[in-house]
Amino acid sequence: MLNSKRDIFQTMAIVYEFIIIYFALLINKSMSSFINRDLCFETGARFRDYQRKCLFNSSTAENILQDVTTCPNKCNFQIDHLHPYSNSLREINLTIGNGRKMFHSCPRSYYYTDVYLNINCSSWNAREYIIWDDVYACSINNAQCIHINNYCVCHCMPGYILEDETCLKMNVSIGGICEFDWQCNGTQFANVCDHGSCSCSPGYIQINRKCFMYNGPHLAGALAKVFPECLLLYLGSSPCPSLYKRGGRKTASS
């Protein structure tokens, strides 16, 4: 009889223990929150550098994961199951373009809630960013660079594109500095990078920072605007400046 009562009490104690655990988990889940927003990549680096990232509350995460700067392109930040008071940043999962990397942050915790920061930059153009594992040389001109663990991530500023690990300006106008022909798209018919400067394409002449087809229908009018004596060109003769070829491009000269 005594053993029977003891068994009943033990069974009831076990049941109560499971009930307490169940409701504790239920309350914890109901109290948890999440973050899902688009932010600058630099914001994630600030969170990683936070001194108390291995023990923080949900309000801290909300405050840190706010943009304080502008950036070329944003990424999506997600953290699920944030505990109101005790969290530990276990890992950062980074997706850039088609590549993925995982960075360990804090050791596994048995007392706090392990959370995972997912940073999704899959929308980044492959020709606008570069990532490498040399944190001591995390800098490129005309780019925003951030180091995370042993990696450096650089994204070219708007209007620039990556070429040979360098961010070069696009849509450069005639006379602007260039290294490649593809940069020279800022002026119509000026698509040649000649000796470091965007110039008129072959068969075109530069007048007042514009390119006109040599002996084309609009050349006379363009010359007349620059040199009044060229108005006689419409009458069949003119003391217009001579046209000569220099450096592979035709130019107006008196």
Side-chain angles (χ1 to χ4, degrees):
M1 181 71 175
L2 184 61
N3 289 335
S4 177
K5 288 184 177 181
R6 185 180 301 167
D7 292 340
I8 292 174
F9 285 129
Q10 288 179 346
T11 302
M12 291 178 64
I14 293 173
V15 171
Y16 286 140
E17 184 177 356
F18 275 104
I19 291 175
I20 292 172
I21 293 174
Y22 171 78
F23 279 104
L25 293 173
L26 190 64
I27 292 172
N28 181 67
K29 185 174 181 180
S30 64
M31 293 176 64
S32 66
S33 60
F34 67 92
I35 292 175
N36 184 345
R37 60 187 62 149
D38 293 335
L39 302 167
C40 293
F41 184 72
E42 181 185 4
T43 305
R46 287 196 299 112
F47 194 16
R48 180 220 56 193
D49 294 336
Y50 179 57
Q51 291 183 349
R52 299 193 61 187
K53 60 180 176 290
C54 296
L55 177 56
F56 62 91
N57 57 38
S58 59
S59 297
T60 299
E62 287 282 352
N63 292 334
I64 293 178
L65 292 178
Q66 300 284 345
D67 278 340
V68 295
T69 59
T70 58
C71 53
N73 276 328
K74 294 192 175 185
C75 304
N76 181 257
F77 284 63
Q78 290 187 18
I79 299 181
D80 294 326
H81 309 304
L82 270 172
H83 189 274
Y85 308 111
S86 56
N87 301 279
S88 178
L89 182 60
R90 180 78 174 96
E91 290 176 358
I92 298 177
N93 298 310
L94 175 63
T95 301
I96 297 184
N98 296 323
R100 294 184 179 181
K101 292 188 179 296
M102 181 179 65
F103 305 101
H104 293 289
S105 183
C106 300
R108 186 175 297 279
S109 173
Y110 296 97
Y111 305 100
Y112 313 127
T113 301
D114 286 330
V115 296
Y116 300 82
L117 173 59
N118 298 306
I119 306 177
N120 190 331
C121 310
S122 59
S123 62
W124 283 14
N125 188 325
R127 292 207 62 191
E128 295 178 356
Y129 76 89
I130 184 172
I131 179 170
W132 71 92
D133 58 351
D134 186 359
V135 71
Y136 298 104
C138 193
S139 177
I140 293 180
N141 289 335
N142 303 311
Q144 185 181 61
C145 296
I146 299 158
H147 70 82
I148 179 168
N149 287 26
N150 295 324
Y151 288 87
C152 178
V153 180
C154 290
H155 193 289
C156 295
M157 298 302 290
Y160 290 79
I161 199 165
L162 192 69
E163 181 74 36
D164 295 332
E165 300 184 0
T166 303
C167 291
L168 299 178
K169 191 174 183 180
M170 300 183 296
N171 298 321
V172 179
S173 299
I174 191 169
I177 298 174
C178 61
E179 293 185 30
F180 300 94
D181 288 346
W182 60 259
Q183 293 179 258
C184 302
N185 287 316
T187 302
Q188 191 176 24
F189 307 125
N191 309 121
V192 175
C193 184
D194 184 19
H195 296 88
S197 177
C198 288
S199 308
C200 291
S201 302
Y204 288 81
I205 180 175
Q206 177 181 332
I207 303 174
N208 267 11
R209 300 185 63 82
K210 293 183 179 180
C211 296
F212 295 88
M213 184 179 294
Y214 186 62
N215 289 333
H218 303 292
L219 178 60
L223 286 170
K225 291 179 181 178
V226 181
F227 307 103
E229 62 269 26
C230 288
L231 184 62
L232 295 175
L233 188 64
Y234 288 109
L235 304 178
S237 63
S238 168
C240 272
S242 60
L243 302 178
Y244 69 95
K245 206 169 185 179
R246 183 180 64 187
R249 61 185 187 276
K250 295 183 176 65
T251 310
S253 174
S254 55

